[in-house]
Amino acid sequence: MNMRTSTQRCNGSRPICSRSRALELELSVHKATLASAHNLSLASMRLLERVKRLGTSQERRPTDTRWLPIYPQPPHNSSDLLSPKRTGQVLGDDVTEGYSSVVSRDSVESQLTVHQWSGLDDLPSSISDHLIHLFLPYRSHYYFFMDLPYFLHCFSLPPSHPESIHPCLLNACYLAACESSGGVLASLQPFFIQRTRYFLNQSLMYGDRIMHFLWATVVLACNLGRRRRLGEAYVIVSSAALLVSASGRIGGEHLPSESLLPPPKNETEAIDGIRLAYSLYITDQILTTLGATPATFRYDDRWASPSGQRDIMRNGNSEVSPTGKEKLEELWASDFDLKISIVRIVEKVSKFAFAYCANGYRGMEAEYTLLESEIRSRQKSIPSLSDPRGLRAEEAVSTFNPHILQAHSSLYGSGLILWGLRAPEDAAAKRQMLECLEALAAICELVGTHRHLGRVHSLITSMLPVRNAIRALASQIRSKEVRGNVALSTHYCSIMEILLDFLDEMTLRYSEWNDLPLSLKDTLATAAKCLGAS
């Protein structure tokens, strides 16, 4: 039937004329556009309302919970305890406080009253034991990579034993446990800072257990850094780094006549020296980034290969034993390679961004391409958040591994900075930047829905990726390209809402986040208004 000559009216079914088809198509597009525009308008209104409320709530959410994660007592006389092949578990299901082993907060805090401890004497052994085991679930947050079986063995020795844990390291661990636990324990932090400093001076004065002195320095610096006392933390870490570098213990032949650090007695102590080098380097780089201060601990390229680490262990002596090789393989296969490579990327991207802002892109094309390739390669090889590496056999955590969480956050945060520099001129960089924003939002959404252990807030670099992501999103929302694309604008708004939800949660719970919403408020308000006007 020909509709041009027919007296029948077109009802939309075949046969259908081309004009009706075109009109129907235009009508459907118009309807979809109206719906998208309506959704975008609602999203912009929600965003503007969220920005107005940001940082204004006076209600504080309690961070103290009934249960505290506690490192389980390992089995005694077990041949499996020292096996480097044994790892923990990521359960995939939520457990109390994110950790499979917990203790009642009341039972820990009541001991302070029961023993009537005034804080002037040494801690009773039961309190000391609890605080050490409260610290260990959070050890990665303080870059405490000391060999745990060896640490627990030394902790079990009487104080008079020459290999027992030095009081400076014990008090640094007590300090970290109090910070992580909160509540009544958090009020003891100033006291433990004072005690840690006192025993650090004693250890250095008498040259007593200097390796414990250095580990205590790392833990104390992380605590001070989170409290925004960056100057103090930087001085402590830079002094320790200079002591290690001058000793030749790491990265060169040992100089016994010129160093406070004695040569390692065995391969366990030698590997512990490599672990310490990792910790000092990471802590130094983080404080350098936060405080805009020069780095003091030089990266040794030999750390990046098992053969180089064997060379450091030998230190001019005989070959490494099979047991030592096995421990080195464990060290290499664990999260150390991951952490050191991520920190190297953060360091390189920070230096590149500084040079880019000062001199522009010309002449830096090769370095940009190399960094881009390095980040993409690591994104493909980074283990999932459910990878158990870094956990001991006795440990089980729920849903995600706190050891791996920081690596994801730092890697995608670095990619965001790098590709954000080129996003205005390069469409490929803009796509990569969007992928980084989506990854950071997914991390925030995951962490925000779970409990205390492993939260991003407890990591010293936590605010930087979140702050950079919100600023990058606000900048993109203001751009003409995004404002002219309804679908992209709506997608950016959904990412922004996830980040702002996480920011609200952290601000309500933790005082160290209070300044961040206020510093971002004007930027966010401008972005929301631009979005509403589009």
Side-chain angles (χ1 to χ4, degrees), residues 349-364 367 417 421:
V349 169
S350 299
K351 290 180 179 178
F352 178 86
F354 181 80
Y356 182 95
C357 294
N359 306 317
Y361 186 56
R362 181 174 297 179
M364 303 185 68
E367 186 178 355
I417 293 174
L421 295 171

Side-chain angles (χ1 to χ4, degrees), residues 205-219:
M205 183 184 302
Y206 296 107
D208 184 15
R209 287 164 280 185
I210 296 299
M211 289 295 286
H212 295 180
F213 165 89
L214 295 169
W215 281 117
T217 296
V218 170
V219 176

Side-chain angles (χ1 to χ4, degrees), residues 275-310:
R275 293 173 184 267
L276 176 64
Y278 278 129
S279 300
L280 280 171
Y281 173 71
I282 291 174
T283 309
D284 183 48
Q285 285 299 321
I286 289 171
L287 292 174
T288 296
T289 302
L290 292 175
T293 49
T296 54
F297 199 69
R298 185 178 63 83
Y299 177 77
D300 190 330
D301 290 327
R302 292 183 298 168
W303 297 347
S305 69
S307 60
Q309 292 174 352
R310 283 197 294 271

